[in-house]
Amino acid sequence: MTGSRGHRAAALLIAISLAVSPLCAQQTQSPTPATAAQTGTAGPASAPARKLEFGPDYSKGPHWLPDFTLPYRPKKIPEPVLTNSPDIAQFIQDGKLMLGLEDAISLALKNNLNIAVARYTPWLDEANLLYAESGANGITKFDPLLTSTLEQVRYSTPINNEFSGNGTHTATTAAGHYTLANFGYSQGFHTGTEISLTFNNTRETSNLISNFFNPWVQSYLTIQITQPLLAGFGRTANTRYIIEAKNTVKVGEAQFTQQVISTVTQVSNDYWELVFAGENVKVEEMSVGTDEQLYENNKKQLEIGTMAPLDVVTAESQLASDQQQLVQAQTTQLQDETALLNDITKDPLAASLAGVQIVPTTPISTPDVENISIQDAVAEAWQKRPELQEAELNLKNAGTEVKATKNELLPSLNLFGQYQAAGLSGIPTVGGVAPGGLGNDLDALINANNPTIIGGVTLTLPIRNRAAQGLNGVAMLTERQQEAQYRQEQNTIFLNVRNTLIALEQDRAAVAAAGKARDLAQQSYDAEVKKFQLGSSTSFNVVLKQQQLTSAEGIELRDRTNLIEAQVNFNQAMGRTLDVNNISVADARTGKISRVPNIPGAMDAGASTGGKASQ
């Protein structure tokens, strides 16, 4: 070897060592301790819980006081906020969005549109509950109803008999006018009982001499109570839609919770994919740098006649291939960055985000894999998964329908009672002196001078009863279908848990194998460098070993990322996602927290709610 060639080889060796040393240092340094968020284990919270609230309770109608017109006006429902939360600006530094995993999750809880859309589901169910509580969609109307009629009539009618006329034997006309003032009140109750009260008043003046009073005033007060004894009897028959609507509200809340879990899982996986993509770009850049150095060295050796042209072509071909891999890695990084940006913003095209690059700051670490039996894992998942809670509530609604339609199979047998009091007063048509007017009329009504009392039963017996039989059959078949679907959901959860457990075990084994392969590649590379230093190897062989080491490091990086994502998916399958990410979903009606968070990494709890209805 000539001196010139030795210097070039030494320079190449130094360049290779500088290119590879950062990767080697990264692999040999002690791993970052896994946080509770990455391992899925519970730990002491280092930040306030991130709380999501449903917002206003739309199942509550407005009160009469202090403004009695409120029940007759629409509710004020705010417009959805479709701009990014202002706190996203605090993460932007020098044109880069510096995000840890916990920051990305917190921003997603406030800005992700999937969560914003899902928030309306329980609100819509609450509005339907308000409708059901009125009884408008059932047998009995529970909201009291007040009616009134005020009417004034002037009439003229030809008559054809002397007894109703003016005392002559010629045809005449009955003429006069009257005023009506009628009032009514009705209300139904959860037992099926219905009460109605009517208060009718008439004042009339006529030219007919056959009336005792002219003008006269007549009033009627009628009270009626009806109670079903068979069909329509009992609270279940009359409140079925209220019971089902309350369960449906809980179904909506479970669906909202499910969407939050799905979104957090998606954000976590997208975050780790971006982390991997960034690290992979670094690996490819180092590989290209080494290829360029080898290519330049080979060209110089070709110029001085110490290397064959084929070696230069081979080096150039390797450089072109690795440049292509770098472009693909950079493209993947941009795509993963776009996916994460969409996860954590409502408006990814906002001016404040133009040209901003997302830089993930949470490093990759190897999580501890929990050792849990499939039986224990499935039992826990069945308790925590909102999908199973939703299936259980749907099954309860199906059972309510069975009970209600069973009651509707019965004949309609109603017991009713009616009381009526009447009064009459006015100016006598004979005698000339007025004994009284409205006061006398009401006095007779109040003292029940002319009472009428009615009691009885009404029976309606449908022949064949096919309508009720059909509805009951549909209800029972639906219940049986819901029972099968409940078991189907249990089995789906079992499948999810089982597959994620398998993935955890496989990825843990893959990480161990990749680590071993990377160590061997490192040893092989070190041995080749020593041979090169002793003059028994070539720079090409050194670069080849370096590329094998780079490939092994890339595979290990991929496997470690897969293991973290497998842990994220396992938490979702177990129903732990909210717990391990320090997220709580608060019930707007009780203010209670339905998920107890217990791992660090949250921002301000109040800010993370994203407001009330506006978010």
Side-chain angles (χ1 to χ4, degrees):
M1 178 184 295
T2 66
S4 175
R5 182 176 179 182
H7 287 304
R8 293 194 188 97
L12 176 60
L13 178 60
I14 293 173
I16 293 172
S17 300
L18 291 175
V20 178
S21 58
L23 282 175
C24 299
Q26 179 182 354
Q27 297 297 334
T28 57
Q29 67 182 1
S30 59
T32 304
T35 64
Q38 295 158 349
T39 63
T41 58
S46 63
R50 292 175 282 207
K51 181 186 295 184
L52 287 173
E53 296 181 352
F54 291 119
D57 186 354
Y58 290 100
S59 67
K60 305 297 182 184
H63 296 288
W64 281 74
L65 297 176
D67 186 353
F68 72 92
T69 66
L70 284 178
Y72 309 105
R73 290 187 282 156
K75 286 187 175 182
K76 294 181 179 179
I77 299 179
E79 296 285 338
V81 176
L82 300 179
T83 56
N84 300 324
S85 60
D87 59 341
I88 196 172
Q90 71 183 15
F91 299 103
I92 300 177
Q93 301 175 13
D94 299 327
K96 296 181 179 180
L97 188 59
M98 312 295 292
L99 284 183
L101 174 61
E102 314 303 339
D103 303 324
I105 291 174
S106 293
L107 289 174
L109 294 179
K110 287 178 278 188
N111 295 307
N112 189 273
L113 285 177
N114 289 331
I115 294 178
V117 171
R119 194 184 297 273
Y120 283 90
T121 299
W123 288 343
L124 289 168
D125 295 334
E126 287 169 353
N128 286 326
L129 173 58
L130 180 63
Y131 180 73
E133 287 179 336
S134 74
N137 58 344
I139 302 173
T140 307
K141 309 301 184 287
F142 304 127
D143 280 1
L145 183 64
L146 180 64
T147 61
S148 64
T149 302
L150 299 177
E151 182 178 338
Q152 192 169 34
V153 178
R154 182 175 295 275
Y155 63 89
S156 178
T157 304
I159 59 176
N160 190 31
N161 70 78
E162 60 179 318
F163 300 103
S164 299
N166 57 11
T168 67
H169 293 282
T170 59
T172 186
T173 299
H177 62 84
Y178 63 85
T179 301
L180 297 179
N182 299 337
F183 303 92
Y185 178 88
S186 61
Q187 183 177 0
F189 299 90
H190 289 180
T191 56
T193 307
E194 293 186 61
I195 296 177
S196 65
L197 182 149
T198 57
F199 182 40
N200 296 337
N201 303 274
T202 304
R203 183 187 184 280
E204 185 172 358
T205 300
S206 173
N207 67 343
L208 300 178
I209 63 173
S210 57
N211 296 321
F212 290 110
F213 300 105
N214 193 20
W216 72 89
V217 179
Q218 189 165 26
S219 299
Y220 290 95
L221 178 65
T222 305
I223 301 174
Q224 180 168 321
I225 301 177
T226 304
Q227 174 61 55
L229 300 179
L230 294 176
F233 175 80
R235 297 180 65 88
T236 300
N238 292 280
T239 62
R240 61 193 279 195
Y241 297 118
I242 298 177
I243 296 171
E244 293 170 9
K246 288 180 178 179
N247 287 334
T248 302
V249 169
K250 296 178 182 178
V251 168
E253 293 172 355
Q255 291 173 344
F256 175 73
T257 301
Q258 184 178 348
Q259 182 60 63
V260 174
I261 291 174
S262 176
T263 298
V264 171
T265 301
Q266 184 66 49
V267 170
S268 299
N269 285 332
D270 288 346
Y271 184 90
W272 290 119
E273 282 299 309
L274 180 58
V275 172
F276 167 77
E279 294 297 322
N280 192 45
V281 167
K282 294 178 183 178
V283 170
E284 296 298 339
E285 287 175 343
M286 292 179 183
S287 181
V288 169
T290 304
D291 293 341
E292 289 175 343
Q293 185 66 38
L294 177 63
Y295 174 62
E296 293 297 327
N297 181 72
N298 287 358
K299 284 201 303 182
K300 292 178 181 179
Q301 292 189 32
L302 176 63
E303 291 174 358
I304 63 176
T306 58
M307 180 168 286
L310 181 60
D311 292 333
V312 177
V313 173
T314 301
E316 186 177 11
S317 174
Q318 183 64 44
L319 173 60
S321 176
D322 285 346
Q323 285 175 334
Q324 183 182 22
Q325 294 296 323
L326 175 60
V327 171
Q328 292 178 352
Q330 291 171 334
T331 300
T332 301
Q333 183 183 25
L334 291 174
Q335 292 172 337
D336 292 341
E337 186 179 341
T338 302
L340 183 59
L341 182 65
N342 186 66
D343 291 340
I344 63 175
T345 61
K346 291 179 180 176
D347 182 11
L349 296 176
S352 61
L353 297 175
V356 172
Q357 176 188 0
I358 298 180
V359 178
T361 59
T362 302
I364 292 178
S365 60
T366 303
D368 296 329
V369 178
E370 181 180 0
N371 186 15
I372 185 173
S373 67
I374 183 63
Q375 291 80 8
D376 292 340
V378 170
E380 180 182 343
W382 281 353
Q383 290 181 346
K384 293 183 176 180
R385 286 281 290 268
E387 297 94 325
L388 200 60
Q389 298 170 12
E390 179 183 345
E392 182 178 357
L393 290 166
N394 288 333
L395 184 56
K396 287 183 178 180
N397 278 352
T400 300
E401 278 294 297
V402 170
K403 293 178 182 178
T405 54
K406 181 180 179 181
N407 176 267
E408 291 177 352
L409 285 169
L410 301 173
S412 176
L413 180 65
N414 294 337
L415 175 66
F416 71 92
Q418 178 178 305
Y419 168 83
Q420 184 180 77
L424 176 64
S425 183
I427 299 177
T429 55
V430 179
V433 179
L438 180 61
N440 296 75
D441 172 54
L442 296 178
D443 183 69
L445 184 145
I446 294 172
N447 291 309
N449 293 344
N450 302 286
T452 301
I453 300 175
I454 303 174
V457 293
T458 60
L459 174 64
T460 303
L461 186 63
I463 305 302
R464 300 184 68 181
N465 207 22
R466 288 185 293 181
Q469 287 283 344
L471 290 176
N472 183 247
V474 169
M476 289 192 294
L477 289 170
T478 301
E479 183 182 39
R480 298 295 180 262
Q481 183 185 46
Q482 291 291 341
E483 290 172 349
Q485 288 178 347
Y486 185 85
R487 175 52 61 88
Q488 183 184 38
E489 190 63 49
Q490 285 183 317
N491 291 346
T492 299
I493 292 173
F494 159 76
L495 185 62
N496 294 156
V497 172
R498 178 61 176 161
N499 285 340
T500 53
L501 273 174
I502 292 174
L504 274 175
E505 292 297 329
Q506 295 298 319
D507 289 339
R508 179 168 59 178
V511 168
K516 182 66 174 177
R518 195 255 312 155
D519 290 340
L520 293 174
Q522 181 72 54
Q523 294 174 14
S524 179
Y525 167 75
D526 293 340
E528 196 66 32
V529 169
K530 291 181 179 179
K531 291 170 62 178
F532 178 80
Q533 292 172 338
L534 296 174
S536 60
S537 181
T538 65
S539 59
F540 178 79
N541 289 337
V542 173
V543 172
L544 182 62
K545 294 296 183 181
Q546 184 271 332
Q547 290 174 342
Q548 292 173 353
L549 175 58
T550 300
S551 175
E553 289 171 338
I555 293 173
E556 184 184 24
L557 179 64
R558 177 71 267 177
D559 288 341
R560 292 173 68 194
T561 305
N562 289 344
L563 180 58
I564 293 176
E565 293 179 0
Q567 183 71 59
V568 171
N569 295 333
F570 175 70
N571 289 334
Q572 181 185 26
M574 293 291 291
R576 296 176 177 176
T577 301
L578 298 184
D579 294 341
V580 301
N581 286 286
N582 208 22
I583 301 168
S584 63
V585 178
D587 190 323
R589 282 164 297 284
T590 65
K592 295 180 180 179
I593 296 176
S594 60
R595 291 284 187 274
V596 182
N598 48 22
I599 76 150
M603 296 175 58
D604 178 71
S608 65
T609 62
K612 292 277 188 175
S614 63
Q615 297 297 313

